Amino acid sequence: MKMNFKKLQRFVAVGMLSALLVGTSVLPPVSANPSKLYTNAKASALIDVESGRVLYSSDGDTPMRIASLTKIMTAIVAIDHGKLTDMVKTSKRAVGKEGSSIYLQLGEEMSLHHMLYGLMLRSGNDAATAIAEHVGGSEEGFVHLMNEKATFLGLKHTQFKNPHGLDDDEHYSSANDLAKLTAYALKNDVFAEIVSTRVKKVPNPHEKWEYSYTNKNKMLTMYEGADGVKTGYTKKSLRCLVSSATRNGQQLAAVTINDSDDWADHRKMLDWGFGHYPLKEIAVKGQQVSGYPYAIGQSFKYPLEEQETGNVQSRLVLLEAGTTRYLLGERGFLEWYLNEQQIGAVPVYDPNSSRLQLSMTSQKSLQSLADFQKANKHDQRGPIFGSIIKVLDALFEH
């Protein structure tokens, strides 16, 4: 909606007055410093899956060969764009693909869902090619979808040339980009179920016995709480690994590229992350907003090290009365900041709003939160300006 300059000035003033500081510290400060973390990898990263916060990075933005870690993107693109019940037919190009294989035969048909297990558990390059040709129409068409997804996710140091990860000078990613990609992928239930599976039995059209795919990811058996993700190796990339684990409701994902001792390093990285960056409960659904007649509409947790807990601040941004969102019970939202960088936002309602009665896991509640997050994506030009813009969006979106 277009506004003249005088109208814009008036509503910016409303936004600035509405951005009220409601708390300078939500957690008591502690002076402890986390121990330093070292790995044998050329590049590494550790991410909190839910928040997307990168907890540790070493040469994390350096583009490098990533071998079969590529298949994380292959799998999530196939899940997002394909139909799991579709039967994928194996072409001559897929059968002849070099490297690791699930030994598909020419013309063999397998459901996309089952083939994804062969892709992620056994790292089948034949499966990667067959999946790409089926979902993308051609391998080249599928690679376009992979790069499109990389752009969507903001992966600035990533470029794909194939769906399997065989060496190509123009095929690369970085540890930080892979961490972000993995965090995105693990939020997909199908992907998460596949990569956490230790052994999968799949129908064999040629024999009475079934195919049996055993996961190459040793972390699933050697680390408590491990639930994914993918191994990788070529002669040029050397050993690559992405692993994930969940403890106390927190899921972390670790990435190493070119690491001669990756199993030990991943155990160390995950232990370090859980130990130094546990989830802190910052807001609880239904909690009263201090000094205001509003209640928080969604619980919010964030990974923080001890010395950061005193640096979390909140800012209340109010909606103008009479807007659609206001009439539906929403009164605004609380933005949360760490060292002046926004880390999250939750809606606030009247205490008697029916939205507060919805279960946090109910479909309506999840959709309500998704709608809120979509409508209130913060502007990248700074926290205060972002708050003003969000107020303007709320005022004129409907």
Side-chain angles (χ1 to χ4, degrees), residues 208-365:
K208 292 182 180 180
W209 47 268
E210 294 179 307
Y211 291 131
S212 181
Y213 300 145
T214 300
N215 203 320
K216 291 184 177 182
N217 184 2
K218 295 179 181 179
M219 290 292 289
L220 293 175
T221 57
M222 64 171 46
Y223 189 82
E224 181 184 352
D227 46 25
V229 172
K230 187 71 187 75
T231 60
Y233 175 84
T234 68
K235 291 181 179 179
K236 291 184 177 180
S237 71
L238 301 180
R239 295 180 64 87
C240 302
L241 179 63
V242 176
S243 67
S244 64
T246 302
R247 290 183 180 177
N248 300 317
Q250 180 180 22
Q251 187 174 32
L252 302 181
V255 180
T256 53
I257 301 174
N258 191 342
D259 187 348
S260 60
D261 198 13
D262 48 11
W263 304 120
D265 281 340
H266 277 244
R267 292 197 299 269
K268 180 169 60 177
M269 291 172 71
L270 292 167
D271 281 346
W272 184 90
F274 287 126
H276 292 294
Y277 287 90
L279 286 179
K280 301 289 187 180
E281 191 168 66
I282 294 176
V284 179
K285 182 179 180 180
Q287 175 184 338
Q288 187 80 15
V289 178
S290 178
Y292 296 88
Y294 309 125
I296 292 173
Q298 189 73 31
S299 294
F300 176 57
K301 296 180 179 180
Y302 196 77
L304 296 168
E305 64 178 13
E306 295 290 351
Q307 63 185 13
E308 293 178 323
T309 57
N311 299 327
V312 179
Q313 297 180 321
S314 59
R315 187 180 298 272
L316 177 64
V317 180
L318 300 177
L319 300 178
E320 188 174 76
T323 61
T324 302
R325 299 179 76 88
Y326 187 94
L327 294 174
L328 290 173
E330 189 175 321
R331 293 298 175 259
F333 46 93
L334 268 177
E335 299 175 330
W336 298 97
Y337 294 84
L338 175 62
N339 299 325
E340 299 184 357
Q341 296 294 315
Q342 188 172 359
I343 59 174
V346 293
V348 297
Y349 303 113
D350 277 335
N352 59 352
S353 171
S354 61
R355 295 194 185 186
L356 291 173
Q357 310 307 316
L358 292 173
S359 166
M360 288 178 62
T361 57
S362 74
Q363 191 59 41
K364 286 184 178 180
S365 180

Side-chain angles (χ1 to χ4, degrees), residues 122-133:
R122 298 305 301 166
S123 203
N125 292 339
D126 50 354
T129 305
I131 288 169
E133 291 176 335

Side-chain angles (χ1 to χ4, degrees), residues 4 20 27 29 56 85 92 103 160 165:
N4 62 41
L20 303 172
L27 296 166
Y56 170 80
T85 55
K92 184 177 181 180
Y103 306 104
F160 296 105

